[in-house]
Amino acid sequence: TRLEQSQTAHAMAAVSAGGPAAVLAAARQVLDEAARLRPPVELDYVALVDPADFTDVTDDFEGEAVLAVAARVGTTRLIDNLPLTFGVRP
């Protein structure tokens, strides 16, 4: 969907530019914009977590992480997870 494409593009740019804090800020910006749509996207949660134990990652985190989002559009609940890698160069 358009929201998923926008969220993915923002997250990938934030990974390149500024790490975990930038990713969360970018995701929140996209979701704030989506909240103004009709019907609105109503956020349940957005979190950037370590996939090994689902704890929130710190801003100096390096390695695999998951951006997890749950939201509602009307009566439909949407859940999405985007795997990201921080600080690891190929």
Side-chain angles (χ1 to χ4, degrees):
T1 68
R2 192 175 70 188
L3 177 58
E4 289 172 327
Q5 291 169 343
S6 178
Q7 182 181 15
T8 300
H10 276 77
M12 298 310 290
V15 167
S16 298
V23 168
L24 278 173
R28 287 186 178 114
Q29 179 182 357
V30 169
L31 293 163
D32 286 347
E33 292 170 12
R36 292 188 289 274
L37 297 174
R38 292 293 171 242
V41 174
E42 298 174 20
L43 182 64
D44 287 340
Y45 66 80
V46 59
L48 187 59
V49 298
D50 183 329
D53 58 12
F54 290 92
T55 58
D56 291 333
V57 302
T58 59
D59 199 36
D60 61 348
F61 180 84
E62 291 190 355
E64 299 292 319
V66 174
L67 180 63
V69 178
R72 293 182 186 277
V73 177
T75 59
T76 303
R77 187 160 191 243
L78 307 170
I79 299 171
D80 201 5
N81 299 302
L82 178 66
L84 301 170
T85 303
F86 293 95
V88 178
R89 305 274 188 229

